[in-house]
Amino acid sequence: MPDSVVTNIDIDDDAIRERLKDASTNLDCMFLRCPRCDTIMLIDWEEHRMYVDPNNIFDRFIMEPMLNNIACPGCRSPIEPHGLLVADKPEISPWHVPINLMLASDWAWAIYPIRPSLVTSLAAPLNQ
């Protein structure tokens, strides 16, 4: 079974808004990881922004709506638009961020500490 990955339900939008100092910011975010160097990026699809430094949330850049000429901020490898478009499907994308990698990174503040599904399972047998 693959490691659990960061999904949209894991993202603490309030923590991000607090760091941005803008409570009205409309976020449509997801975390991605460069499969070449493991750099973690926060992508805001709504604003076409990529946040690259978890310790300085204002270190960001605007992405072209068509996702042309984007490079990983860590290794400068090109980011292919198709890779980003399938990034929400961890079973086919190398761009997903494993929870353990996220929690060990400086981005850990931007996700909820424990996802309930990691603690309990509905598939567990019931005691009778």
Side-chain angles (χ1 to χ4, degrees):
M1 175 178 200
D3 289 339
S4 295
V5 297
V6 175
T7 65
N8 290 352
I9 65 169
D10 299 308
I11 298 174
D12 187 344
D13 291 338
D14 291 334
I16 296 169
R17 284 187 191 98
E18 184 178 317
R19 295 260 178 140
L20 289 171
K21 299 184 184 348
D22 185 357
S24 65
T25 300
N26 184 18
L27 298 173
D28 181 15
C29 296
M30 89 182 301
F31 279 98
L32 300 176
R33 157 187 85 84
C34 176
R36 292 177 188 89
C37 71
D38 282 341
T39 294
I40 298 173
M41 302 156 262
L42 175 64
I43 306 295
D44 183 347
W45 300 113
E46 184 77 21
E47 299 292 329
H48 302 286
R49 291 182 179 153
M50 179 184 288
Y51 299 90
V52 297
D53 183 351
N55 299 307
N56 179 6
I57 195 77
F58 297 103
D59 183 11
R60 61 185 177 219
F61 65 90
I62 305 296
M63 300 183 307
E64 293 295 322
M66 296 305 294
L67 303 174
N68 295 320
N69 301 317
I70 300 173
C72 168
C75 67
R76 307 305 305 160
S77 295
I79 297 174
E80 298 296 326
H82 177 72
L84 292 179
L85 293 175
V86 299
D88 63 341
K89 299 171 178 58
E91 67 277 5
I92 63 171
S93 174
W95 293 88
H96 67 277
V97 182
I99 292 269
N100 61 350
L101 181 64
M102 186 72 168
L103 291 174
S105 79
D106 286 347
W107 280 109
W109 62 263
I111 64 170
Y112 295 109
I114 298 174
R115 186 176 348 149
S117 63
L118 295 177
V119 177
T120 61
S121 171
L122 295 175
L126 297 174
N127 291 334
Q128 295 184 13

